[in-house]
Amino acid sequence: MTDPKDTPELQLNVIDRLAAEAFVIDVDGFEGPLDILLSMARTQKVDLRKISILDLSRQYLRFVEQAKELRLELAADYLVMAAWLAFLKSRLLLPPDPTEEGPSGEDLAAHLAFQLERLQAMRDCAAKLMARDQKGRDFFVRGILEQMERLRKVRYTATLIDLMQGYARIRTKDEFRPFVLDRQKVFTMEEALERLRGMIGFTGQWTDLDSYMPDGWHDDPVKWRSATASTFAASLELVKEGRAEIQQSESFAPIQVRRRETPRE
Amino acid sequence: MSDPSNEGTDRDSLFDAPPMAEQERMVEAILFASADPVSVKDLNDRMPHGCDAAEALMHLRKRYEGRGVQVSHVGDAWAMRTASDLGFLMQRETVETRKLSRAAIETLAIISYHQPVTRAEIEEIRGVGVSRGTVDQLLEMEWIRFGRRRMTPGRPVTFVVTQEFLDHFGLESARDLPGLAELRAAGLLESRPLPSGIPMAGEGDLDAEEEFDFGQSELFED
Amino acid sequence: MSDPSNEGTDRDSLFDAPPMAEQERMVEAILFASADPVSVKDLNDRMPHGCDAAEALMHLRKRYEGRGVQVSHVGDAWAMRTASDLGFLMQRETVETRKLSRAAIETLAIISYHQPVTRAEIEEIRGVGVSRGTVDQLLEMEWIRFGRRRMTPGRPVTFVVTQEFLDHFGLESARDLPGLAELRAAGLLESRPLPSGIPMAGEGDLDAEEEFDFGQSELFED
């Protein structure tokens, strides 16, 4: 509705616009260019080819002017028709030029008459259609529907491969070791954190992280990996808490930690 | 099994089809139980092998002549519907249908009488643009559907009416639309192109309109 | 208006009730279109003044005797229903092929490799319980049947595979099933060494799934 293409004079408020449109619709009953022509042609009660196209155009253009004040989109639609009429008028008024190609004014008027007649016929048909007996209004469908019962029969199937794979699965089950975390070789993050928290308070100097590792966890590579990982993670946690600082001089160099002098709150 | 090529085959002779009276009962039961029209093919599929639903239907239709319930032909299917002269008894069953706009009614009439018809053709006949909303509403009501694309430049889609449309308006087929023959005889269903050399309502402006805001013009229609 | 006190009043004489044949049509249409059974009182309320729905109903009922549709008494109301002997027309059978569950395949595999085998033995080999449903399903499919009872305490029944099973899997006899060595050679039996002790993604998942799907019942049922 508030299309930016609207010209300023059309920036009426909504209520005004609705009222204006209501006026167009209710009072005039016009809905489109053919409609206007149709009603005008009907009121003149003459063959379109014989009516004064000049008069018709004048009336029509007056309506367009009126419509324009209310709504540009409507008028724009009608301008096509206006151009059409102006063209038609010129063809009818000027003596036919034998050298000029294209349809004569007579042809155009005849076509216009055809269009109008066809539209009127369709409107009559629409009315006849809607006047027919309608389902749900004049005749009715069965009220109690018996649902088509769907008997879903499931047929199970299996292939020889399924069978053999199934058997193989059972027979090889014993070879699988159930997954149990070997806690013995795991130094948990909680343990590392606890250990580090207790020890960091004493270290104001940069100290290799490695030295915080628990005793006896250096020899077994599995235990060493686990302890290294958890101690490193614990050190990061302390940094996050603002209780420690961490540094590494270069890639793969030893990681060093120290107590933070003034813990951040 | 109205297809004669199917008759007398070994397969048919293996099973005796039920007597026609029984087949009629079956068709009666199936049509009775369904709110939607059922095609002859569906009937035959559901009935025992060797049945001739088409023939049973003819018997059934005759039996229900003048009754409170009618066997009606809808497109290529059949349905049972109450006789329309008894509609006054059914206030309780009356379905409130959405009121169609004048634009929608006219568009529907044009599609039913001119089908298959493209949107541009509908606009040419009506002289104004056809809003997407109007077409959508008719599609949603399942009164129209997309037909084949027209084999012209741009391959535009066409619209045709549906079985639901026929069912709703109690039509056996689109050929039974009121006044169709007269309209055809009067040449009013022909697509008569505008003599060349002049702007056409349906062509220039309306397409542009569709581009930016479809159907503004229709806001005026009702 | 079967109530005699209503008859002969001034009001009745003002309007002639429709002929009985017409009343019958009305009852027919109402019963057809109604979503629920309709009582005689409701019928009378809906039909024009002076109608006798009860009588019309009796005529209608007689008319539909032996037809594919019946006028039947439902509680204290009336409805039309398809004849019960035609119920088969209201069913559509669809056959769906589904893969046998893992529990069923494993049970079947054990039976085929170890037949005759008792349920306890199957459970021992599988390491989990075998639900009654699984065994019933295989019995119903006629892929297994009961064999001889084992001459052990409790005389448990054994299971063996059927000819139907052999036909389905294209086997001459159960002895033709490939042995473990052949399965291994065919790559069907990987002895998966798992150095890290971590379960394979697929294996673990499937077990969990089975637990959920079938295992539940299997754990509780037996």
Side-chain angles (χ1 to χ4, degrees), chain A residues 142-143 146 149 151 153 155-158 162 164 167 169 175, chain C residues 32 80 82 90 92 94 96 98-100 106 114 137 168 178 191:
Chain A
R142 172 74 170 139
E146 282 163 64
E149 211 180 308
L151 286 186
K153 220 168 127 187
R155 219 190 51 190
Y156 286 95
T157 181
D162 295 331
M164 294 188 301
Y167 189 64
R169 200 160 49 223
E175 295 174 34
Chain C
F32 174 87
M80 284 176 122
T82 51
M90 306 301 146
R92 185 169 285 169
T94 50
E96 201 179 294
R98 229 183 278 170
K99 228 169 172 41
L100 210 52
E106 288 185 4
H114 294 267
Q137 186 185 10
H168 180 90
S191 71

PDB file of all heavy atoms in Angstrom, chain A residues 142-143 146 149 151 153 155-158 162 164 167 169 175, chain C residues 32 80 82 90 92 94 96 98-100 106 114 137 168 178 191:
ATOM      1  N   ARG A 142     -21.119 -38.786   1.658  1.00  0.00           N
ATOM      2  CA  ARG A 142     -21.349 -39.734   2.730  1.00  0.00           C
ATOM      3  C   ARG A 142     -20.788 -39.177   4.032  1.00  0.00           C
ATOM      4  O   ARG A 142     -19.659 -38.710   4.076  1.00  0.00           O
ATOM      5  CB  ARG A 142     -20.651 -41.045   2.360  1.00  0.00           C
ATOM      6  CG  ARG A 142     -20.629 -42.081   3.446  1.00  0.00           C
ATOM      7  CD  ARG A 142     -21.983 -42.720   3.628  1.00  0.00           C
ATOM      8  NE  ARG A 142     -21.869 -43.876   4.517  1.00  0.00           N
ATOM      9  CZ  ARG A 142     -22.744 -44.153   5.446  1.00  0.00           C
ATOM     10  NH1 ARG A 142     -23.795 -43.384   5.615  1.00  0.00           N
ATOM     11  NH2 ARG A 142     -22.591 -45.221   6.193  1.00  0.00           N
ATOM     12  N   GLY A 143     -21.602 -39.229   5.072  1.00  0.00           N
ATOM     13  CA  GLY A 143     -21.187 -38.641   6.338  1.00  0.00           C
ATOM     14  C   GLY A 143     -20.288 -39.536   7.157  1.00  0.00           C
ATOM     15  O   GLY A 143     -19.356 -39.078   7.795  1.00  0.00           O
ATOM     16  N   GLU A 146     -16.089 -44.914   5.852  1.00  0.00           N
ATOM     17  CA  GLU A 146     -15.445 -46.146   6.281  1.00  0.00           C
ATOM     18  C   GLU A 146     -14.048 -46.126   5.705  1.00  0.00           C
ATOM     19  O   GLU A 146     -13.872 -46.197   4.504  1.00  0.00           O
ATOM     20  CB  GLU A 146     -16.257 -47.345   5.807  1.00  0.00           C
ATOM     21  CG  GLU A 146     -17.460 -47.557   6.701  1.00  0.00           C
ATOM     22  CD  GLU A 146     -18.499 -48.447   6.072  1.00  0.00           C
ATOM     23  OE1 GLU A 146     -18.194 -49.610   5.829  1.00  0.00           O
ATOM     24  OE2 GLU A 146     -19.611 -47.967   5.809  1.00  0.00           O
ATOM     25  N   GLU A 149      -9.302 -49.807   5.145  1.00  0.00           N
ATOM     26  CA  GLU A 149      -8.381 -50.382   6.101  1.00  0.00           C
ATOM     27  C   GLU A 149      -7.163 -50.887   5.346  1.00  0.00           C
ATOM     28  O   GLU A 149      -7.289 -51.604   4.360  1.00  0.00           O
ATOM     29  CB  GLU A 149      -9.072 -51.557   6.787  1.00  0.00           C
ATOM     30  CG  GLU A 149      -8.627 -51.775   8.192  1.00  0.00           C
ATOM     31  CD  GLU A 149      -9.375 -52.954   8.792  1.00  0.00           C
ATOM     32  OE1 GLU A 149     -10.613 -52.973   8.721  1.00  0.00           O
ATOM     33  OE2 GLU A 149      -8.697 -53.856   9.278  1.00  0.00           O
ATOM     34  N   LEU A 151      -4.363 -53.275   5.361  1.00  0.00           N
ATOM     35  CA  LEU A 151      -3.787 -54.431   6.020  1.00  0.00           C
ATOM     36  C   LEU A 151      -2.321 -54.439   5.649  1.00  0.00           C
ATOM     37  O   LEU A 151      -1.970 -54.737   4.516  1.00  0.00           O
ATOM     38  CB  LEU A 151      -4.443 -55.710   5.523  1.00  0.00           C
ATOM     39  CG  LEU A 151      -5.848 -55.971   6.031  1.00  0.00           C
ATOM     40  CD1 LEU A 151      -6.303 -57.340   5.571  1.00  0.00           C
ATOM     41  CD2 LEU A 151      -5.876 -55.913   7.556  1.00  0.00           C
ATOM     42  N   LYS A 153       0.832 -56.063   5.592  1.00  0.00           N
ATOM     43  CA  LYS A 153       1.416 -57.364   5.819  1.00  0.00           C
ATOM     44  C   LYS A 153       2.918 -57.187   5.666  1.00  0.00           C
ATOM     45  O   LYS A 153       3.388 -56.749   4.624  1.00  0.00           O
ATOM     46  CB  LYS A 153       0.882 -58.348   4.787  1.00  0.00           C
ATOM     47  CG  LYS A 153       0.593 -59.717   5.364  1.00  0.00           C
ATOM     48  CD  LYS A 153      -0.189 -60.544   4.385  1.00  0.00           C
ATOM     49  CE  LYS A 153       0.467 -61.884   4.140  1.00  0.00           C
ATOM     50  NZ  LYS A 153      -0.232 -62.599   3.059  1.00  0.00           N
ATOM     51  N   ARG A 155       6.477 -58.744   5.295  1.00  0.00           N
ATOM     52  CA  ARG A 155       7.182 -59.975   4.982  1.00  0.00           C
ATOM     53  C   ARG A 155       8.643 -59.772   5.315  1.00  0.00           C
ATOM     54  O   ARG A 155       9.293 -58.887   4.771  1.00  0.00           O
ATOM     55  CB  ARG A 155       7.011 -60.299   3.499  1.00  0.00           C
ATOM     56  CG  ARG A 155       6.830 -61.768   3.231  1.00  0.00           C
ATOM     57  CD  ARG A 155       6.913 -62.035   1.757  1.00  0.00           C
ATOM     58  NE  ARG A 155       8.130 -61.428   1.207  1.00  0.00           N
ATOM     59  CZ  ARG A 155       8.374 -61.341  -0.089  1.00  0.00           C
ATOM     60  NH1 ARG A 155       7.511 -61.761  -0.957  1.00  0.00           N
ATOM     61  NH2 ARG A 155       9.495 -60.804  -0.515  1.00  0.00           N
ATOM     62  N   TYR A 156       9.113 -60.586   6.239  1.00  0.00           N
ATOM     63  CA  TYR A 156      10.502 -60.429   6.624  1.00  0.00           C
ATOM     64  C   TYR A 156      11.381 -61.243   5.701  1.00  0.00           C
ATOM     65  O   TYR A 156      10.998 -62.299   5.219  1.00  0.00           O
ATOM     66  CB  TYR A 156      10.701 -60.864   8.074  1.00  0.00           C
ATOM     67  CG  TYR A 156      10.140 -59.857   9.022  1.00  0.00           C
ATOM     68  CD1 TYR A 156       8.860 -59.988   9.529  1.00  0.00           C
ATOM     69  CD2 TYR A 156      10.896 -58.737   9.375  1.00  0.00           C
ATOM     70  CE1 TYR A 156       8.335 -59.051  10.387  1.00  0.00           C
ATOM     71  CE2 TYR A 156      10.370 -57.793  10.231  1.00  0.00           C
ATOM     72  CZ  TYR A 156       9.097 -57.953  10.739  1.00  0.00           C
ATOM     73  OH  TYR A 156       8.596 -57.015  11.586  1.00  0.00           O
ATOM     74  N   THR A 157      12.544 -60.725   5.484  1.00  0.00           N
ATOM     75  CA  THR A 157      13.429 -61.433   4.602  1.00  0.00           C
ATOM     76  C   THR A 157      14.868 -61.279   5.067  1.00  0.00           C
ATOM     77  O   THR A 157      15.194 -60.383   5.836  1.00  0.00           O
ATOM     78  CB  THR A 157      13.274 -60.938   3.152  1.00  0.00           C
ATOM     79  OG1 THR A 157      14.143 -61.684   2.328  1.00  0.00           O
ATOM     80  CG2 THR A 157      13.604 -59.465   3.048  1.00  0.00           C
ATOM     81  N   ALA A 158      15.681 -62.183   4.623  1.00  0.00           N
ATOM     82  CA  ALA A 158      17.099 -62.127   4.955  1.00  0.00           C
ATOM     83  C   ALA A 158      17.848 -62.854   3.851  1.00  0.00           C
ATOM     84  O   ALA A 158      17.270 -63.680   3.152  1.00  0.00           O
ATOM     85  CB  ALA A 158      17.356 -62.789   6.296  1.00  0.00           C
ATOM     86  N   ASP A 162      23.470 -62.230   5.171  1.00  0.00           N
ATOM     87  CA  ASP A 162      23.025 -61.766   6.495  1.00  0.00           C
ATOM     88  C   ASP A 162      23.217 -62.884   7.521  1.00  0.00           C
ATOM     89  O   ASP A 162      23.704 -62.662   8.619  1.00  0.00           O
ATOM     90  CB  ASP A 162      21.534 -61.396   6.480  1.00  0.00           C
ATOM     91  CG  ASP A 162      21.254 -60.211   5.585  1.00  0.00           C
ATOM     92  OD1 ASP A 162      22.149 -59.363   5.429  1.00  0.00           O
ATOM     93  OD2 ASP A 162      20.131 -60.134   5.047  1.00  0.00           O
ATOM     94  N   MET A 164      25.167 -65.548   7.399  1.00  0.00           N
ATOM     95  CA  MET A 164      26.558 -65.900   7.684  1.00  0.00           C
ATOM     96  C   MET A 164      27.247 -64.804   8.480  1.00  0.00           C
ATOM     97  O   MET A 164      28.016 -65.072   9.393  1.00  0.00           O
ATOM     98  CB  MET A 164      27.298 -66.166   6.376  1.00  0.00           C
ATOM     99  CG  MET A 164      26.744 -67.406   5.674  1.00  0.00           C
ATOM    100  SD  MET A 164      27.686 -67.936   4.247  1.00  0.00           S
ATOM    101  CE  MET A 164      27.609 -66.524   3.207  1.00  0.00           C
ATOM    102  N   TYR A 167      26.176 -65.103  11.993  1.00  0.00           N
ATOM    103  CA  TYR A 167      26.851 -66.207  12.694  1.00  0.00           C
ATOM    104  C   TYR A 167      28.293 -65.828  13.017  1.00  0.00           C
ATOM    105  O   TYR A 167      28.771 -66.037  14.127  1.00  0.00           O
ATOM    106  CB  TYR A 167      26.816 -67.465  11.834  1.00  0.00           C
ATOM    107  CG  TYR A 167      27.288 -68.681  12.596  1.00  0.00           C
ATOM    108  CD1 TYR A 167      26.571 -69.129  13.706  1.00  0.00           C
ATOM    109  CD2 TYR A 167      28.443 -69.360  12.226  1.00  0.00           C
ATOM    110  CE1 TYR A 167      26.996 -70.220  14.419  1.00  0.00           C
ATOM    111  CE2 TYR A 167      28.879 -70.461  12.936  1.00  0.00           C
ATOM    112  CZ  TYR A 167      28.153 -70.891  14.038  1.00  0.00           C
ATOM    113  OH  TYR A 167      28.582 -71.966  14.754  1.00  0.00           O
ATOM    114  N   ARG A 169      29.450 -62.965  13.482  1.00  0.00           N
ATOM    115  CA  ARG A 169      29.458 -61.965  14.535  1.00  0.00           C
ATOM    116  C   ARG A 169      29.435 -62.635  15.906  1.00  0.00           C
ATOM    117  O   ARG A 169      30.168 -62.258  16.819  1.00  0.00           O
ATOM    118  CB  ARG A 169      28.229 -61.073  14.362  1.00  0.00           C
ATOM    119  CG  ARG A 169      28.325 -59.733  15.043  1.00  0.00           C
ATOM    120  CD  ARG A 169      27.335 -58.770  14.440  1.00  0.00           C
ATOM    121  NE  ARG A 169      25.997 -59.335  14.348  1.00  0.00           N
ATOM    122  CZ  ARG A 169      25.197 -59.209  13.286  1.00  0.00           C
ATOM    123  NH1 ARG A 169      25.602 -58.540  12.225  1.00  0.00           N
ATOM    124  NH2 ARG A 169      24.012 -59.757  13.280  1.00  0.00           N
ATOM    125  N   GLU A 175      36.463 -62.678  20.784  1.00  0.00           N
ATOM    126  CA  GLU A 175      37.748 -62.069  20.482  1.00  0.00           C
ATOM    127  C   GLU A 175      37.772 -60.581  20.778  1.00  0.00           C
ATOM    128  O   GLU A 175      38.814 -59.962  20.782  1.00  0.00           O
ATOM    129  CB  GLU A 175      38.112 -62.311  19.005  1.00  0.00           C
ATOM    130  CG  GLU A 175      38.326 -63.799  18.733  1.00  0.00           C
ATOM    131  CD  GLU A 175      38.544 -64.078  17.255  1.00  0.00           C
ATOM    132  OE1 GLU A 175      39.148 -63.216  16.597  1.00  0.00           O
ATOM    133  OE2 GLU A 175      38.101 -65.133  16.787  1.00  0.00           O
TER     134      GLU A 175
ATOM    135  N   PHE C  32     -27.608 -41.050   4.980  1.00  0.00           N
ATOM    136  CA  PHE C  32     -26.407 -41.129   4.157  1.00  0.00           C
ATOM    137  C   PHE C  32     -25.412 -40.035   4.531  1.00  0.00           C
ATOM    138  O   PHE C  32     -24.220 -40.281   4.691  1.00  0.00           O
ATOM    139  CB  PHE C  32     -26.789 -40.997   2.672  1.00  0.00           C
ATOM    140  CG  PHE C  32     -25.622 -40.927   1.733  1.00  0.00           C
ATOM    141  CD1 PHE C  32     -25.043 -42.086   1.233  1.00  0.00           C
ATOM    142  CD2 PHE C  32     -25.108 -39.700   1.320  1.00  0.00           C
ATOM    143  CE1 PHE C  32     -23.972 -42.022   0.352  1.00  0.00           C
ATOM    144  CE2 PHE C  32     -24.034 -39.629   0.455  1.00  0.00           C
ATOM    145  CZ  PHE C  32     -23.461 -40.789  -0.035  1.00  0.00           C
ATOM    146  N   MET C  80     -26.538 -45.995   8.205  1.00  0.00           N
ATOM    147  CA  MET C  80     -26.337 -46.897   7.073  1.00  0.00           C
ATOM    148  C   MET C  80     -24.909 -47.382   7.129  1.00  0.00           C
ATOM    149  O   MET C  80     -23.972 -46.617   7.376  1.00  0.00           O
ATOM    150  CB  MET C  80     -26.599 -46.151   5.771  1.00  0.00           C
ATOM    151  CG  MET C  80     -28.078 -45.948   5.533  1.00  0.00           C
ATOM    152  SD  MET C  80     -28.366 -44.966   4.074  1.00  0.00           S
ATOM    153  CE  MET C  80     -29.370 -46.062   3.127  1.00  0.00           C
ATOM    154  N   THR C  82     -22.065 -50.388   5.362  1.00  0.00           N
ATOM    155  CA  THR C  82     -21.858 -51.380   4.314  1.00  0.00           C
ATOM    156  C   THR C  82     -22.108 -52.753   4.910  1.00  0.00           C
ATOM    157  O   THR C  82     -21.851 -52.991   6.083  1.00  0.00           O
ATOM    158  CB  THR C  82     -20.431 -51.331   3.748  1.00  0.00           C
ATOM    159  OG1 THR C  82     -19.525 -51.385   4.835  1.00  0.00           O
ATOM    160  CG2 THR C  82     -20.194 -50.062   2.967  1.00  0.00           C
ATOM    161  N   MET C  90     -13.208 -53.334   1.890  1.00  0.00           N
ATOM    162  CA  MET C  90     -12.728 -52.114   2.543  1.00  0.00           C
ATOM    163  C   MET C  90     -11.300 -52.274   3.036  1.00  0.00           C
ATOM    164  O   MET C  90     -10.792 -51.471   3.774  1.00  0.00           O
ATOM    165  CB  MET C  90     -13.613 -51.765   3.752  1.00  0.00           C
ATOM    166  CG  MET C  90     -15.076 -51.662   3.424  1.00  0.00           C
ATOM    167  SD  MET C  90     -15.388 -50.414   2.189  1.00  0.00           S
ATOM    168  CE  MET C  90     -16.742 -51.158   1.318  1.00  0.00           C
ATOM    169  N   ARG C  92      -7.335 -53.030   2.055  1.00  0.00           N
ATOM    170  CA  ARG C  92      -6.348 -53.104   0.981  1.00  0.00           C
ATOM    171  C   ARG C  92      -5.086 -53.671   1.586  1.00  0.00           C
ATOM    172  O   ARG C  92      -4.562 -53.167   2.559  1.00  0.00           O
ATOM    173  CB  ARG C  92      -6.091 -51.719   0.397  1.00  0.00           C
ATOM    174  CG  ARG C  92      -5.171 -51.755  -0.788  1.00  0.00           C
ATOM    175  CD  ARG C  92      -5.157 -50.426  -1.487  1.00  0.00           C
ATOM    176  NE  ARG C  92      -6.367 -50.200  -2.255  1.00  0.00           N
ATOM    177  CZ  ARG C  92      -6.690 -49.030  -2.788  1.00  0.00           C
ATOM    178  NH1 ARG C  92      -5.921 -47.993  -2.597  1.00  0.00           N
ATOM    179  NH2 ARG C  92      -7.777 -48.899  -3.503  1.00  0.00           N
ATOM    180  N   THR C  94      -1.337 -54.437   1.753  1.00  0.00           N
ATOM    181  CA  THR C  94      -0.048 -54.018   1.201  1.00  0.00           C
ATOM    182  C   THR C  94       1.024 -54.881   1.844  1.00  0.00           C
ATOM    183  O   THR C  94       1.042 -55.075   3.054  1.00  0.00           O
ATOM    184  CB  THR C  94       0.246 -52.550   1.506  1.00  0.00           C
ATOM    185  OG1 THR C  94       0.047 -52.325   2.886  1.00  0.00           O
ATOM    186  CG2 THR C  94      -0.648 -51.627   0.709  1.00  0.00           C
ATOM    187  N   GLU C  96       4.773 -55.454   2.745  1.00  0.00           N
ATOM    188  CA  GLU C  96       5.976 -54.663   2.944  1.00  0.00           C
ATOM    189  C   GLU C  96       7.096 -55.635   3.264  1.00  0.00           C
ATOM    190  O   GLU C  96       6.952 -56.492   4.124  1.00  0.00           O
ATOM    191  CB  GLU C  96       5.723 -53.748   4.134  1.00  0.00           C
ATOM    192  CG  GLU C  96       6.596 -52.549   4.203  1.00  0.00           C
ATOM    193  CD  GLU C  96       6.208 -51.731   5.418  1.00  0.00           C
ATOM    194  OE1 GLU C  96       5.086 -51.209   5.434  1.00  0.00           O
ATOM    195  OE2 GLU C  96       7.012 -51.660   6.351  1.00  0.00           O
ATOM    196  N   ARG C  98      10.528 -56.353   4.856  1.00  0.00           N
ATOM    197  CA  ARG C  98      11.430 -55.749   5.825  1.00  0.00           C
ATOM    198  C   ARG C  98      12.542 -56.726   6.164  1.00  0.00           C
ATOM    199  O   ARG C  98      12.340 -57.926   6.139  1.00  0.00           O
ATOM    200  CB  ARG C  98      10.646 -55.397   7.095  1.00  0.00           C
ATOM    201  CG  ARG C  98      10.928 -53.981   7.540  1.00  0.00           C
ATOM    202  CD  ARG C  98      10.219 -53.678   8.817  1.00  0.00           C
ATOM    203  NE  ARG C  98       8.826 -53.298   8.619  1.00  0.00           N
ATOM    204  CZ  ARG C  98       7.963 -53.171   9.621  1.00  0.00           C
ATOM    205  NH1 ARG C  98       8.315 -53.463  10.844  1.00  0.00           N
ATOM    206  NH2 ARG C  98       6.726 -52.783   9.391  1.00  0.00           N
ATOM    207  N   LYS C  99      13.662 -56.168   6.464  1.00  0.00           N
ATOM    208  CA  LYS C  99      14.785 -57.017   6.811  1.00  0.00           C
ATOM    209  C   LYS C  99      14.569 -57.609   8.198  1.00  0.00           C
ATOM    210  O   LYS C  99      14.070 -56.947   9.089  1.00  0.00           O
ATOM    211  CB  LYS C  99      16.067 -56.182   6.808  1.00  0.00           C
ATOM    212  CG  LYS C  99      17.157 -56.875   6.029  1.00  0.00           C
ATOM    213  CD  LYS C  99      18.336 -55.979   5.790  1.00  0.00           C
ATOM    214  CE  LYS C  99      19.487 -56.750   5.187  1.00  0.00           C
ATOM    215  NZ  LYS C  99      19.146 -57.713   4.162  1.00  0.00           N
ATOM    216  N   LEU C 100      14.928 -58.841   8.306  1.00  0.00           N
ATOM    217  CA  LEU C 100      14.805 -59.528   9.583  1.00  0.00           C
ATOM    218  C   LEU C 100      15.687 -58.828  10.616  1.00  0.00           C
ATOM    219  O   LEU C 100      16.765 -58.353  10.301  1.00  0.00           O
ATOM    220  CB  LEU C 100      15.266 -60.964   9.366  1.00  0.00           C
ATOM    221  CG  LEU C 100      14.669 -62.073  10.203  1.00  0.00           C
ATOM    222  CD1 LEU C 100      13.157 -62.035  10.150  1.00  0.00           C
ATOM    223  CD2 LEU C 100      15.173 -63.409   9.702  1.00  0.00           C
ATOM    224  N   GLU C 106      20.521 -63.734  13.983  1.00  0.00           N
ATOM    225  CA  GLU C 106      21.510 -64.469  14.778  1.00  0.00           C
ATOM    226  C   GLU C 106      20.917 -65.762  15.313  1.00  0.00           C
ATOM    227  O   GLU C 106      21.575 -66.815  15.288  1.00  0.00           O
ATOM    228  CB  GLU C 106      22.013 -63.589  15.928  1.00  0.00           C
ATOM    229  CG  GLU C 106      22.910 -62.469  15.412  1.00  0.00           C
ATOM    230  CD  GLU C 106      23.533 -61.641  16.527  1.00  0.00           C
ATOM    231  OE1 GLU C 106      23.337 -61.984  17.715  1.00  0.00           O
ATOM    232  OE2 GLU C 106      24.207 -60.655  16.194  1.00  0.00           O
ATOM    233  N   HIS C 114      23.792 -75.149  14.197  1.00  0.00           N
ATOM    234  CA  HIS C 114      23.909 -76.069  15.338  1.00  0.00           C
ATOM    235  C   HIS C 114      22.740 -77.011  15.483  1.00  0.00           C
ATOM    236  O   HIS C 114      22.639 -77.691  16.478  1.00  0.00           O
ATOM    237  CB  HIS C 114      24.068 -75.256  16.633  1.00  0.00           C
ATOM    238  CG  HIS C 114      25.339 -74.493  16.694  1.00  0.00           C
ATOM    239  ND1 HIS C 114      26.486 -74.978  17.283  1.00  0.00           N
ATOM    240  CD2 HIS C 114      25.664 -73.280  16.187  1.00  0.00           C
ATOM    241  CE1 HIS C 114      27.457 -74.088  17.165  1.00  0.00           C
ATOM    242  NE2 HIS C 114      26.986 -73.039  16.499  1.00  0.00           N
ATOM    243  N   GLN C 137       8.475 -65.609  15.514  1.00  0.00           N
ATOM    244  CA  GLN C 137       8.557 -65.023  14.188  1.00  0.00           C
ATOM    245  C   GLN C 137       9.176 -66.015  13.209  1.00  0.00           C
ATOM    246  O   GLN C 137       8.673 -66.215  12.104  1.00  0.00           O
ATOM    247  CB  GLN C 137       9.396 -63.747  14.255  1.00  0.00           C
ATOM    248  CG  GLN C 137       9.412 -62.983  12.949  1.00  0.00           C
ATOM    249  CD  GLN C 137      10.346 -61.775  13.005  1.00  0.00           C
ATOM    250  OE1 GLN C 137      11.117 -61.625  13.948  1.00  0.00           O
ATOM    251  NE2 GLN C 137      10.267 -60.946  11.995  1.00  0.00           N
ATOM    252  N   HIS C 168      14.642 -70.948   0.583  1.00  0.00           N
ATOM    253  CA  HIS C 168      14.827 -69.500   0.551  1.00  0.00           C
ATOM    254  C   HIS C 168      16.302 -69.141   0.366  1.00  0.00           C
ATOM    255  O   HIS C 168      16.631 -68.219  -0.362  1.00  0.00           O
ATOM    256  CB  HIS C 168      14.295 -68.850   1.826  1.00  0.00           C
ATOM    257  CG  HIS C 168      14.450 -67.355   1.841  1.00  0.00           C
ATOM    258  ND1 HIS C 168      13.491 -66.500   1.354  1.00  0.00           N
ATOM    259  CD2 HIS C 168      15.483 -66.565   2.232  1.00  0.00           C
ATOM    260  CE1 HIS C 168      13.921 -65.253   1.456  1.00  0.00           C
ATOM    261  NE2 HIS C 168      15.130 -65.266   2.000  1.00  0.00           N
ATOM    262  N   PRO C 178      28.569 -72.550   4.859  1.00  0.00           N
ATOM    263  CA  PRO C 178      30.028 -72.468   4.969  1.00  0.00           C
ATOM    264  C   PRO C 178      30.477 -72.505   6.424  1.00  0.00           C
ATOM    265  O   PRO C 178      29.811 -71.948   7.296  1.00  0.00           O
ATOM    266  CB  PRO C 178      30.348 -71.112   4.325  1.00  0.00           C
ATOM    267  CG  PRO C 178      29.076 -70.360   4.318  1.00  0.00           C
ATOM    268  CD  PRO C 178      27.970 -71.352   4.256  1.00  0.00           C
ATOM    269  N   SER C 191      38.682 -61.630  12.183  1.00  0.00           N
ATOM    270  CA  SER C 191      38.995 -61.646  13.599  1.00  0.00           C
ATOM    271  C   SER C 191      39.702 -60.326  13.803  1.00  0.00           C
ATOM    272  O   SER C 191      40.825 -60.133  13.416  1.00  0.00           O
ATOM    273  CB  SER C 191      39.878 -62.827  13.962  1.00  0.00           C
ATOM    274  OG  SER C 191      41.159 -62.636  13.456  1.00  0.00           O
TER     275      SER C 191
END
